[in-house]
Amino acid sequence: MSKVKEEGQKRSIFAAIADGLDKVLVWLSIVLCAVLTVNMIIAVFFRYVLNNSIYWADELSLVLFAWLTFLGGSLAVKRSEMAAVTIILDRLSERGKRWVLVGVQISIILFAFILGYYSLIWVQSPSVVNMVSSTLPVSMWTIYLIVPVSMICIIIFSLDNLRKVLTGNQTEEGGVKV
């Protein structure tokens, strides 16, 4: 197999991994959002109609909301939909934009790597491993696991975005926007 064909295949495999992960995160977000909605409706019904609160519903809502936030942040990186001020970027040449976008993606990768590394250490610490949720029958490490998982997703998505910037494939769906 020629070297050019091999590199193209590697790129498409990496893009396929990122796109597959994107689809999984979207469906997981949809399911979590549906569970959050049902949980809140039932909690409000029990509290205000039946006058009998469900003691664990508030904490479940907070956990689901936190998971949705981190998953949504990962998906925003995939689609380059983070909040940005582009006044300087808009004034740069195409070459200048490319360098800035490379720098942005490398910064995101470094940030996610550092946060992911330290959050993984934190999740594995005895103080978290031995802690159980106050109202849910769940260990806290499973709840906090979303932080390192979302950082891994952000790294994968940023590497794919970096590949798109460097190869000039910024027109691929869900890619880096200029």
Side-chain angles (χ1 to χ4, degrees):
M1 188 182 286
S2 72
K3 188 174 182 171
V4 172
K5 202 174 201 181
E6 218 172 90
E7 287 178 15
Q9 193 174 27
K10 285 180 187 174
R11 285 188 197 122
S12 64
I13 289 172
F14 193 75
I17 291 169
D19 291 341
L21 182 59
D22 175 73
K23 288 179 181 157
V24 169
L25 293 184
V26 166
W27 281 105
L28 183 58
S29 296
I30 290 169
V31 169
L32 291 176
C33 194
V35 171
L36 177 62
T37 303
V38 169
N39 178 60
M40 291 180 76
I41 290 170
I42 291 172
V44 168
F45 177 78
F46 269 74
R47 178 174 289 160
Y48 294 108
V49 176
L50 302 179
N51 291 324
N52 188 11
S53 294
I54 302 173
Y55 68 94
W56 47 263
D58 290 341
E59 187 172 6
L60 179 60
S61 294
L62 289 172
V63 169
L64 292 172
F65 189 71
W67 273 64
L68 281 167
T69 300
F70 279 96
L71 293 177
S74 300
L75 291 170
V77 169
K78 167 72 169 135
R79 294 173 170 83
S80 293
E81 294 179 349
M82 297 88 57
V85 178
T86 61
I87 191 166
I88 296 173
L89 187 65
D90 293 340
R91 299 185 194 296
L92 295 175
S93 66
E94 287 302 314
R95 186 170 184 237
K97 286 180 185 179
R98 179 175 277 178
W99 280 106
V100 169
L101 291 175
V102 166
V104 166
Q105 294 305 319
I106 290 172
S107 298
I108 292 171
I109 292 167
L110 288 174
F111 172 80
F113 180 79
I114 292 168
L115 187 60
Y117 174 76
Y118 285 107
S119 66
L120 192 57
I121 291 171
W122 173 62
V123 166
Q124 294 174 342
S125 69
S127 63
V128 174
V129 171
N130 297 327
M131 190 173 22
V132 178
S133 170
S134 60
T135 60
L136 300 172
V138 178
S139 295
M140 291 305 288
W141 72 267
T142 57
I143 293 172
Y144 295 152
L145 193 62
I146 189 59
V147 178
V149 167
S150 66
M151 293 304 119
I152 291 169
C153 295
I154 286 173
I155 290 170
I156 292 169
F157 293 148
S158 289
L159 286 171
D160 186 47
N161 287 342
L162 184 61
R163 177 195 61 83
K164 290 174 185 176
V165 170
L166 293 175
T167 60
N169 292 334
Q170 297 170 1
T171 57
E172 293 179 26
E173 187 175 330
V176 179
K177 297 174 186 168
V178 182

